[in-house]
């Protein structure tokens, strides 16, 4: 059962702290996406949640190899930096996925991670098996230099597909346009406030 304070109450009356996992698909540390994601996680912590951030650019992993043989439990056979990501998503109680718009879509780092969930897609939709992803809420946040709504829609459709594959319910989104230079998000107090509020509400 979810309470309003970032605490999950189990049937055994144990109190568990909610875990919110942030995934940053931008290569620019301290950039606009990173800053917005930190705000969301700050909001979640203000409600008592535990937070963790994965920076995809810091992981050593390869793109999906389209292995002909996949693990029948929904796991990926490629043992690289993606393995902890699968585990952390399974353990999380909420996910915040963040990516800048690159060429009208997600960053390469983001898409590379998402493709690696083909194993979970196969388990869910072909094998009709439980790959171990529980139903949790998720949010998507993104920034772009231009003012193109269609770019965000493009990115969003990919994220929604990914979320559905790992049983994440697409609950919140934040799209900030006209944000280009590193740090320029700091001039947009409205976006920062919305990001903080997403963190509060996702808990
Ligand atoms: C490789 C690359 C591609 C980009 N493509 C787009 C684009 O298609 N549309 C757009 O509006 N901005 C584009 N941008 C601008 C970024 O979305 C923008 O600078 C954003 O604030 C970067 O966020 P970050 O600081 O989190 O990396 C691109 C930037 C890079 C580096």
């Amino acid at each position: 059962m979810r309470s309003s304070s970032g605490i999950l109450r189990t049937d055994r009356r144990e109190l568990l702290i909610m875990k919110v996992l942030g995934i940053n698909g931008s290569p620019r540390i301290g950039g606009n996406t990173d800053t917005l994601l930190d705000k969301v996680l700050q909001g979640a912590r203000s409600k008592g949640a535990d937070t963790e951030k994965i920076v995809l650019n810091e992981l050593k992993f390869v793109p999906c190899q389209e292995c002909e043989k996949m693990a029948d439990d929904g796991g990926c056979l490629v043992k690289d930096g993606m393995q902890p990501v699968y585990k952390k998503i399974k353990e999380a109680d909420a996910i915040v996925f963040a990516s800048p718009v690159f060429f009208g879509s997600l960053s390469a780092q983001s898409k590379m991670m998402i493709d690696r969930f083909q194993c979970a897609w196969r388990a869910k939709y072909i094998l009709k098996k439980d790959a171990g992803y529980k139903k949790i809420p998720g949010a998507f946040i993104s920034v772009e230099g231009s003012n193109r709504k269609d770019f965000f829609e493009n990115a969003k459709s990919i994220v929604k597909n990914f979320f559905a594959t790992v049983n994440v319910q697409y609950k919140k989104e934040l799209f900030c346009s006209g944000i280009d230079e590193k740090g320029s998000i700091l001039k947009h107090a409205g976006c920062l406030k919305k990001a903080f509020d997403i963190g509060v509400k996702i808990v």
Side-chain angles (χ1 to χ4, degrees):
M1 192 170 74
R2 194 180 303 284
S3 80
S4 60
S5 62
I7 309 281
L8 295 176
R9 198 180 297 276
T10 71
D11 289 337
R12 284 171 288 142
R13 301 277 175 247
E14 288 174 65
L15 293 178
L16 298 172
I17 305 294
M18 190 172 173
K19 286 186 211 156
V20 178
L21 178 66
I23 301 177
N24 180 10
S26 168
R28 199 151 65 167
I29 303 304
N32 301 317
T33 310
D34 199 29
T35 303
L36 269 188
L37 179 57
D38 283 347
K39 270 284 162 204
V40 178
L41 299 180
Q42 197 187 328
R45 283 194 298 275
S46 77
K47 294 293 281 181
D50 247 0
T51 64
E52 187 177 357
K53 184 170 73 174
I54 294 174
V55 179
L56 296 179
N57 202 48
E58 290 176 352
L59 303 183
K60 298 264 175 285
F61 69 108
V62 295
C64 176
Q65 298 300 299
E66 247 187 314
C67 308
E68 290 200 3
K69 179 141 182 44
M70 292 187 203
D72 281 342
D73 62 356
C76 178
L77 294 176
V78 182
K79 304 299 177 209
D80 63 6
M82 270 301 292
Q83 294 299 331
V85 179
Y86 299 123
K87 185 168 180 283
K88 285 175 200 286
I89 291 179
K90 285 177 184 172
E91 290 170 354
D93 301 303
I95 286 184
V96 184
F97 187 75
S99 173
V101 166
F102 279 3
F103 278 87
S105 181
L106 297 172
S107 68
Q109 289 85 346
S110 301
K111 185 60 166 53
M112 217 167 109
M113 183 209 78
I114 290 173
D115 284 353
R116 287 288 300 273
F117 282 86
Q118 177 66 5
C119 45
W121 184 92
R122 176 174 172 265
K124 180 168 180 160
Y125 296 109
I126 308 289
L127 304 176
K128 316 274 184 217
K129 274 190 180 170
D130 177 8
Y133 296 95
K134 56 186 195 273
K135 199 166 140 188
I136 57 171
F140 173 44
I141 60 176
S142 188
V143 297
E144 66 176 6
S146 67
N147 287 286
R148 292 277 299 260
K149 202 173 165 227
D150 55 328
F151 289 169
F152 285 137
E153 288 303 319
N154 208 15
K156 174 177 167 175
S157 72
I158 302 166
V159 172
K160 280 187 128 179
N161 194 340
F162 161 55
F163 275 11
T165 300
V166 290
N167 300 329
V168 175
Q169 295 174 295
Y170 190 95
K171 292 277 189 195
K172 302 268 172 215
E173 64 184 21
L174 175 61
F175 301 137
C176 300
S177 306
I179 315 278
D180 215 354
E181 285 80 38
K182 184 175 183 180
S184 55
I185 192 71
L186 294 171
K187 293 183 207 137
H188 296 256
C191 280
L192 296 171
K193 163 96 176 56
K194 282 180 189 161
F196 185 89
D197 289 346
I198 285 179
V200 168
K201 287 183 186 136
I202 204 131
V203 170

